[in-house]
Structure formats: C-alpha cells, structure tokens
Amino acid sequence: MRTQVGIVGAGPAGLTLAHLLQREGIESVVLEDRSREYVEQRLRAGVLEQAIADLLVESGAGERLRGEGIVHEGIELQFDRERHRIPLRDLTGGRSIVIYGQTEIVKDLIRLRLAAGLPLLFEVGDVSVDDLESERPSIRFAHEGAEHVLECDVVAGCDGYHGVCRPSIPAGVLSEFSRDYPFGWLGILAEVAPSNDELVYAHHERGFALLSLRSPELSRLYIQCRPDEDLAEWHDDRIWEELQLRLGLDGWTLAEGLILEKGITGMRSYVAEPMRFGRLFLAGDAAHIVPPTGAKGLNLALHDVRLLAEALVSWYRTGSSELLDGYSDACLRRVWRAEHFSWWMTSMLHRFDSGDDFDLRLQLSQLRYVTTSSAASTSLAENYVGIDRI
Ligand code: APR
Ligand code: PHB
C-alpha cells in the first residue's frame, strides 16, 4: 500500500487534516484503532472559536454546523453568588464562539470521507511507524486479520495523547513540559434545556462548576472533583445537589433532567517540542494537552492541522519545505498562548486546598478585576474567542 500522507488517528485532528488535503488533491489514508461507533459516541469538547467554525464551513464540512451550531456572544463568570457577563463579541471587534460538539464534527467528517469513497480504516491493530528519518516513512498495522505496510511521503501523528506516534520518536529528541492539577472534572450530559443562555464558569468555595450545553435540549455540566474520584459514589441526586449548590443564585435554580452520560476528566497541561521528527509531524493532543477550563483543546488541534495542510500543499506544489520546516514553531507559538490561558483560567476558578485562604483571596481579586476592568476582560475575551495572529 502507498499513499502521500499516512494519518494515524481519526479524531478531529486526523479527520480534518484528511479533509483539507483531499480538497487540494493530496491523497491520504486514515488509520484508527477504535471502531466507528466508539469514535462517534465519545463525548468530548463543544466550544469552537469563530476561526475554527469558519474553517470547517469554508472547507465544505460545515453544513450541519451552520444549521445546528449555536452562536454565543458572551460567557458569564460567577463568584460571590453573583454573575458577571464577559461580552466576548463587543470586546473583540465582533468575534464570537460556536457551540457544536466535537462528536458531531467527527460524525460529519467521517460521513463526508466515506461518502467520497476515500480510505478511512477503523479497528486497525498493532500500529507502528518506521523509517521516520528516511524519505519513505511507513506505517505497519493489522486490519481484518491481515498485516499491512503503508508507505508514505509523510506521516501525520494525530493519535491523541495516548497514541503511538509520539513515543516512537527516539529518546532525547523531545523536550516535554507538564503540569498536573490536584483535581478533575465530573461531567454530565443531561436531557434538559440549558438553564442559562450563555456558559457559566462558577467559582465556589465547594469547588468549580460549569454550565454548558450541546443543543437547545441538552445541557452539559461539570463539577470540580478529586482526580481519583469514584464515579460510583456519585448517584444522580448527589450530582444535581452539588450543581445546585455551586451554580445556584438567589432567585435562580438549575433545571434538572435525566442524566444520559457521566464521566470524569483528568486535568493536565503538557507540551512536547518540537512537533516534528524527520517525516513525522505531530498534531493535536498527540503533541499537547490543556486543562479544559479555557475550551482550547479542540481548537488547538484544528489550528495545527490547518497549518500542516497548508505546509504540505506548498511542499507538493513548489517543492519548497519552508512551511514544513516552520510548522512546529508556528504551532507552538499558539500552543503556548493557549497553555498559559488554560492554566490561568484553571488557577483562577478552582479550589486549591493550600491550607490557608491566600489563593482564594487572589482568585477573588482577579475575578473582580477581570469583570470590572475593560483591559482585563478584553484580554480574557480575545484569548477565549481565539487570537488571530500569534
Ligand atoms: N492507532 C490508531 N489510532 C489511534 C491510536 C493508534 N495506535 N492511538 C490512538 N488513536 C486514535 C484515538 O482512538 C482517537 O480516535 O487517535 C484519535 C485521537 O483523537 P483525539 O484524542 O480526539 O485527539 P485530536 O484529534 O488531537 O483532538 C483533540 O480531543 O481530547 C480532545 O480536548 C481534546 O478536544 C481536543 C481533541
Ligand atoms: C463543554 O461544553 O464541554 C465545555 C465548555 C467549556 C469549557 C469546557 C468544556 O471550558
């Protein structure tokens, strides 16, 4: 088997890369170790920066996104039992965010690719990447009982944080940077209309809570929990009770409904540099992770593959490797901005058990500043909607 770009992983990064390349006449094969059902059910992020929503629409993958995506022009920060609106649109010269589930993006891209008869293999096994420093890198894998070798011009490692591509880079090449947080998020998807028109990020002495949504009928809610929290101890009533305590306000209660899904998300910051080794290019979670508080993970993954697609198109068209050579540095500038923003939002909004109230006092001061100073709220807003040039 031979292709131009071998793509490992059919998450948003791998699928979007394949889609952008196909529009430019560049062939790829996408290999995914899970089943189609699994990747289409997996509940993930849901906030798109305007530029990322535009990328999907302009590239022809946004038909459903255009109809079902919900535009939000602000978010709310809650602390001391009061809500304060950050008017994203007004503060950023007209930019907003679009609420549309990552799961829906994945479904849309899979459907487009399979309808076009293009190669996307699910349930591949024993994936390994070889000869990365040569001009003929390859991917070995098993599929439907047979062993295969896919020869490529380049390999795109879009296989997420737990994938095989990053660990295939020899020891000593990558520099890794990380930060673990002493908490996680317990998240639910509930069959109830969102109780607020905009997202609410709530600072509370019992811990952080977030009110989000997936559609006019589906709420997505999170509470800060221990990183090793046992989901079995969280029966539905207890989850709603905790959400009411943390999000509740005088004269406002959270509407409750049937809990369709629940899960625990870890919180980590991580970056591997550079995002390239020979003919292997890493993109998305394979190269970096952010805690979800800034809603940046999905957006970063799609910014990466946009740059990678442009660089590959330029290389195939002109023979110049200038953009490919600059890929890692260009991505990392945005990655580190998002790393800082996500760490900062996380630090401002979560409860840290540091023994005294020093952190708490700093958080409340920062929240007051961010919600009253136009300089500070503009800074939050421009990071949240996505910085244009970086
Ligand atoms: N072989 C093939 N596929 C693999 C392998 C492997 N060895 N290991 C992992 N994969 C697949 C995973 O099953 C997954 O479908 O690679 C895909 C990686 O997708 P994501 O984890 O969604 O990562 P990415 O496409 O970079 O998207 C980042 O996902 O975790 C969220 O917050 C994150 O929203 C962000 C987005
Ligand atoms: C979500 O809706 O899943 C969501 C929204 C905002 C975040 C994180 C997750 O910051």
Side-chain angles (χ1 to χ4, degrees):
M1 287 173 86
R2 229 209 91 64
T3 191
Q4 291 179 298
V5 181
I7 301 178
V8 186
L15 290 166
T16 305
L17 178 63
H19 172 71
L20 296 175
L21 292 175
Q22 169 265 319
R23 288 176 50 85
E24 300 290 342
I26 298 172
E27 279 175 18
S28 65
V29 173
V30 185
L31 304 172
E32 166 61 49
D33 68 352
R34 302 291 193 146
S35 67
R36 179 178 180 181
E37 294 67 39
Y38 182 89
V39 301
E40 290 191 345
Q41 302 283 308
R42 194 165 44 187
L43 191 54
R44 290 283 187 77
V47 175
L48 299 180
E49 295 173 2
Q50 172 118 41
I52 293 302
D54 292 347
L55 170 72
L56 291 167
V57 169
E58 284 158 18
S59 71
E63 206 179 308
R64 214 156 55 89
L65 163 62
R66 234 179 9 203
E68 296 174 27
I70 305 171
V71 175
H72 277 196
E73 297 182 351
I75 56 169
E76 297 194 51
L77 297 182
Q78 177 173 329
F79 58 97
D80 274 349
R81 297 186 77 75
E82 276 180 13
R83 284 197 192 147
H84 305 260
R85 181 164 191 264
I86 306 285
L88 298 174
R89 190 169 185 281
D90 297 346
L91 294 171
T92 60
R95 283 146 168 269
S96 23
I97 52 166
V98 181
I99 307 298
Y100 190 68
Q102 173 171 329
T103 317
E104 305 310 312
I105 296 175
V106 163
K107 281 188 209 160
D108 295 343
L109 290 165
I110 290 176
R111 198 161 29 80
L112 276 178
R113 186 154 182 93
L114 295 180
L118 296 168
L120 162 56
L121 306 184
F122 291 99
E123 297 178 73
V124 302
D126 302 329
V127 177
S128 66
V129 289
D130 304 295
D131 303 319
L132 300 174
E133 285 184 287
S134 79
E135 292 190 355
R136 279 279 168 278
S138 59
I139 310 175
R140 279 171 199 280
F141 64 97
H143 188 239
E144 294 177 346
E147 302 285 322
H148 302 274
V149 179
L150 175 65
E151 288 189 352
C152 318
D153 296 331
V154 305
V155 174
C158 302
D159 49 349
Y161 185 64
H162 300 288
V164 293
C165 290
R166 192 183 66 252
S168 306
I169 297 175
V173 172
L174 295 180
S175 301
E176 296 176 282
F177 307 87
S178 66
R179 175 70 40 106
D180 285 314
Y181 301 89
F183 37 74
W185 281 9
L186 190 162
I188 61 165
L189 183 71
E191 204 170 54
V192 57
S195 297
N196 197 54
D197 289 341
E198 293 179 335
L199 270 61
V200 181
Y201 288 82
H203 176 279
H204 194 275
E205 65 269 16
R206 298 179 67 87
F208 171 73
L210 171 62
L211 181 159
S212 180
L213 68 153
R214 282 295 174 277
S215 75
E217 300 84 33
L218 286 177
S219 294
R220 180 84 171 123
L221 297 140
Y222 299 93
I223 42 180
Q224 174 183 349
C225 62
R226 292 197 320 267
D228 58 349
E229 195 78 53
D230 180 4
L231 203 50
E233 287 175 13
W234 286 86
H235 51 83
D236 295 5
D237 290 347
R238 181 174 172 211
I239 295 176
W240 286 118
E241 210 174 290
E242 196 61 40
L243 282 164
Q244 297 289 5
L245 285 171
R246 298 189 194 184
L247 286 164
L249 291 174
D250 296 336
W252 183 94
T253 37
L254 179 68
E256 301 182 9
L258 181 68
I259 297 184
L260 302 171
E261 293 211 37
K262 46 179 136 162
I264 301 209
T265 317
M267 302 279 279
R268 188 152 205 237
S269 300
Y270 172 85
V271 182
E273 296 183 358
M275 291 168 56
R276 172 192 191 169
F277 174 67
R279 291 275 181 109
L280 168 68
F281 294 85
L282 301 177
D285 277 17
H288 42 74
I289 299 281
V290 285
T293 326
K296 288 289 151 211
L298 169 60
N299 292 294
L300 276 184
L302 296 200
H303 279 293
D304 287 351
V305 295
R306 187 215 322 239
L307 288 184
L308 185 53
E310 281 169 11
L312 287 167
V313 168
S314 161
W315 184 56
Y316 278 114
R317 297 251 164 89
T318 68
S320 161
S321 63
E322 194 183 336
L323 291 183
L324 277 181
D325 294 339
Y327 167 75
S328 175
D329 285 350
C331 289
L332 286 167
R333 278 197 293 279
R334 179 177 298 280
V335 167
W336 277 110
R337 176 86 304 276
E339 290 290 343
H340 179 272
F341 178 65
S342 308
W343 163 84
W344 175 75
M345 287 281 279
T346 302
S347 308
M348 178 170 69
L349 287 162
H350 290 74
R351 171 151 191 118
F352 288 79
D353 285 319
S354 49
D356 62 25
D357 283 344
F358 185 77
D359 287 332
L360 181 69
R361 290 285 186 275
L362 292 181
Q363 289 175 332
L364 290 170
S365 167
Q366 185 66 12
L367 282 162
R368 260 178 230 118
Y369 179 50
V370 150
T371 50
T372 50
S373 149
S374 66
S377 56
T378 303
S379 171
L380 189 158
E382 73 170 352
N383 278 281
Y384 199 86
V385 301
I387 289 179
D388 205 7
R389 282 181 204 286
I390 188 111

